[in-house]
Amino acid sequence: MHGRRHPRTGTEPAMARSALGLRKLLSVIYTPLFLAGAVLFAIWAGKSDAGSTPSSGALGAIAIVCAVLSLLALTDLMVVKHRLRRERGRRH
């Protein structure tokens, strides 16, 4: 159990791995996409009038959600890059 966070139960594969390449691709695509969405919805919220539909509050909330998703995608990208570097180091 050396180096393990949780003890093995015996049901998972000994060398189970995440699809790091796919995670990296999705993070690279969605980080700027969500960031652009956050900026565009924030601009739209700033330019909307009091009686407009959707309301500036709803647009602001969507902008915040997009910003949070962008930060999550960026964080995942950093984690994936770290794990890929660590895996390359073990092969050599």
Side-chain angles (χ1 to χ4, degrees), residues 17-86:
R17 294 175 48 172
S18 175
L20 294 178
L22 179 61
R23 282 177 58 189
K24 182 179 176 183
L25 176 67
L26 291 173
S27 293
V28 165
I29 291 170
Y30 284 104
T31 297
L33 187 68
F34 284 131
L35 185 60
V39 170
L40 292 175
F41 281 115
I43 291 171
W44 188 8
K47 291 185 176 186
S48 66
D49 296 332
S52 62
T53 304
S55 69
S56 62
L59 292 170
I62 294 171
I64 291 170
V65 168
C66 285
V68 168
L69 289 172
S70 179
L71 287 174
L72 287 173
L74 181 62
T75 302
D76 189 49
L77 180 61
M78 292 172 17
V79 168
V80 167
K81 284 186 173 186
H82 173 74
R83 288 184 182 172
L84 286 172
R85 267 187 262 128
R86 189 176 63 195

